[in-house]
Amino acid sequence: MFEPNSIRTLVFDVLGTVVDEAGSVRSEFTGAMVAAGGTPQQGGELARAWSQRFDELLKAIHERTVPWRSTDDLYREALIHSLPEEPRLPKATVRHLAQVSHRLQPWPDAVDALQALSERFLIVALSNGNMSMLADMFRNAGLRWHCVLSGEMVHAYKPDPSVYRLAIDMLHLDPARTLMVAAHPWDLRAAATHGMRTAYIKRAGEGELRDTDRIDVAVDDLSELAAYFEASQEIGA
Amino acid sequence: MFEPNSIRTLVFDVLGTVVDEAGSVRSEFTGAMVAAGGTPQQGGELARAWSQRFDELLKAIHERTVPWRSTDDLYREALIHSLPEEPRLPKATVRHLAQVSHRLQPWPDAVDALQALSERFLIVALSNGNMSMLADMFRNAGLRWHCVLSGEMVHAYKPDPSVYRLAIDMLHLDPARTLMVAAHPWDLRAAATHGMRTAYIKRAGEGELRDTDRIDVAVDDLSELAAYFEASQEIGA
């Protein structure tokens, strides 16, 4: 049984959950390809190739076949690996695109919902993105937090246990009173193994729940999460 | 010559600069002493003894005669060391007071000024307080950031160089375009040795400038800092 009024802390996944990582990347890559004489389709292909390579690099780090590197490094390497022969992007454009993660756009509901939720909960960002990427992105997107934690601080990527332990141990959280908020079921499953409660945010293309997943809250976006807690408070009061 | 429009990032000291550490401690200590049958004067004495002991503990860590410990530990130890024989505070009260740092109150100008400054700058907290203390305090005070860094992350206290390097290196800051905002001249002097620009916030009792201090901006509070940058933008535009 899940008791919403027992929750004290919200721990947010960021990439895909709070910001539209895939859409922002696709949009910038497409713009650059078109500017270089290519087609929007070629932009979409670059984004898909980039995403696939990025996942491969993450997987290798997670399996410890290569050492940890920052998301800045992985974004850059995945991009360079995925560039087509034609059209050839100018070097300055490639440098700019390699930093696209610093400019990821928030989902439309994110800024207002975070503001509302921050008035009741301790709100914490817990992201695989490195700290400089997160800081720049939050500044550009207008997203502010009580605390920002990154896998960079333990040189690991979620779902590695050390990243969840970082939040629980450093902030002295009671996992049973802490809600992991994420669009990726794998992230929620990992958080649950540490005793955290789970909220699934249904973002298109970010991953679907399995029948066997035990999720405490499932909502379409962060506004709905804020409304859910507002309703629970009225009932609890 | 200082060019306000060159600044991209504001790095804030927190304890004393954004929150009224001394006033919050004094207020809670006095309340507890009066509740236990003592006088407000005894509360003020406890706060002074606590503060002196806290500074001694910090100094010992800074001089590396003892290993680093968190502010939570130092707050508790300084309190227990300073408790008078009479009136004897109940154990539960002592435990509560030892956590006063998690409840420090913001200076009246802080919340609105941070909000305003966050729309133009990357705003970063760089504090000696440990992360759990900062997170709880920011949640209680309604203070939100793009990035929160603590000396805990490098097991050192400002003015140790490693704490300023943490911010500069982890966030890839250009020190010349970064403004350290603090009420303590010693903090600004240390930041300047790393190439950062400096803003002195004149908070009563937190430290006075020397004639030899070269400070880029000196203001009475954070509202005035926000107004200063607003005016500079109008001139620059």
Side-chain angles (χ1 to χ4, degrees), chain B residues 38-52:
Chain B
T39 64
Q41 286 70 24
Q42 287 176 307
E45 281 159 28
L46 175 58
R48 269 188 299 280
W50 169 87
S51 169
Q52 190 181 329

Side-chain angles (χ1 to χ4, degrees), chain B residues 14-67:
Chain B
V14 175
L15 305 177
T17 300
V18 179
V19 298
D20 179 11
E21 184 184 30
S24 303
V25 167
R26 197 169 46 239
S27 160
E28 286 212 17
F29 285 10
T30 299
M33 289 295 267
V34 169
T39 64
Q41 286 70 24
Q42 287 176 307
E45 281 159 28
L46 175 58
R48 269 188 299 280
W50 169 87
S51 169
Q52 190 181 329
R53 182 62 180 169
F54 186 77
D55 286 348
E56 287 167 6
L57 293 169
L58 268 189
K59 189 159 176 282
I61 291 176
H62 191 63
E63 291 170 351
R64 298 170 194 270
T65 56
V66 299

Side-chain angles (χ1 to χ4, degrees), chain B residues 216-231:
Chain B
D216 295 308
V217 186
V219 289
D220 283 341
D221 58 28
L222 296 174
S223 311
E224 206 178 294
L225 185 68
Y228 167 83
F229 277 113
E230 208 167 318

Side-chain angles (χ1 to χ4, degrees), chain B residues 106-187:
Chain B
W107 289 105
D109 49 282
V111 172
D112 288 350
L114 265 198
Q115 155 79 43
L117 290 164
S118 77
E119 287 167 18
R120 175 162 169 199
F121 300 103
L122 172 57
I123 59 166
V124 180
L126 182 68
S127 176
N128 279 339
N130 51 246
M131 291 291 275
S132 69
M133 162 189 166
L134 293 174
D136 288 345
M137 185 215 303
F138 293 154
R139 181 248 174 278
N140 289 332
L143 294 163
R144 295 189 295 140
W145 306 87
H146 299 129
C147 181
V148 176
L149 301 175
S150 162
E152 181 183 17
M153 293 163 67
V154 288
H155 281 201
Y157 283 94
K158 291 186 288 178
D160 192 283
S162 63
V163 184
Y164 305 92
R165 294 310 315 175
L166 169 71
I168 293 168
D169 296 343
M170 191 171 249
L171 301 183
H172 306 163
L173 301 178
D174 176 353
R177 305 188 75 175
T178 301
L179 189 68
M180 181 78 210
V181 180
H184 311 106
W186 58 262
D187 201 353

Side-chain angles (χ1 to χ4, degrees), chain A residues 8-228:
Chain A
R8 299 282 300 273
T9 302
L10 304 185
V11 174
F12 289 81
D13 170 61
V14 175
L15 305 177
T17 301
V18 179
V19 298
D20 180 11
E21 182 183 30
S24 302
V25 167
R26 196 167 49 239
S27 162
E28 286 212 18
F29 285 10
T30 299
M33 289 296 266
V34 169
T39 64
Q41 287 71 25
Q42 288 176 306
E45 281 159 27
L46 175 58
R48 270 189 299 280
W50 170 86
S51 169
Q52 191 180 328
R53 182 61 180 169
F54 186 76
D55 287 347
E56 288 166 6
L57 293 170
L58 268 190
K59 190 160 176 282
I61 290 175
H62 190 62
E63 291 170 351
R64 297 170 194 269
T65 56
V66 298
W68 180 90
R69 281 174 303 153
S70 72
T71 39
D72 275 352
D73 281 358
L74 301 185
Y75 257 77
R76 186 184 307 108
E77 182 172 326
L79 174 63
I80 288 166
H81 181 270
S82 308
L83 290 173
E85 290 282 319
E86 287 297 329
R88 194 166 208 81
L89 297 178
K91 275 191 183 166
T93 301
V94 173
R95 267 200 305 276
H96 181 73
L97 290 183
Q99 290 271 98
V100 59
S101 64
H102 292 241
R103 299 180 297 269
L104 301 177
Q105 297 295 307
W107 289 105
D109 48 283
V111 172
D112 289 349
L114 265 198
Q115 154 80 44
L117 290 164
S118 76
E119 286 166 19
R120 175 162 168 198
F121 300 103
L122 171 57
I123 59 166
V124 179
L126 182 67
S127 174
N128 279 338
N130 50 246
M131 291 289 276
S132 69
M133 161 189 167
L134 293 174
D136 287 345
M137 185 214 304
F138 293 153
R139 182 246 174 276
N140 288 332
L143 294 163
R144 295 190 296 142
W145 307 86
H146 298 128
C147 181
V148 176
L149 301 175
S150 161
E152 180 183 19
M153 291 162 66
V154 288
H155 281 203
Y157 281 95
K158 290 186 291 181
D160 192 283
S162 62
V163 185
Y164 305 92
R165 294 308 318 176
L166 169 70
I168 293 168
D169 295 342
M170 191 171 248
L171 301 183
H172 306 163
L173 300 178
D174 175 354
R177 305 188 74 174
T178 301
L179 189 68
M180 181 79 210
V181 181
H184 312 106
W186 58 261
D187 201 353
L188 299 173
R189 283 176 212 128
T193 67
H194 299 278
M196 295 166 80
R197 310 311 297 248
T198 52
Y200 172 65
I201 314 295
K202 197 173 176 174
R203 301 291 195 191
E206 296 293 341
E208 298 289 328
L209 292 178
R210 296 178 196 150
D211 286 347
T212 49
D213 280 328
R214 302 228 179 313
I215 295 294
D216 295 308
V217 186
V219 288
D220 283 342
D221 60 27
L222 296 174
S223 311
E224 208 179 290
L225 186 68
Y228 167 83

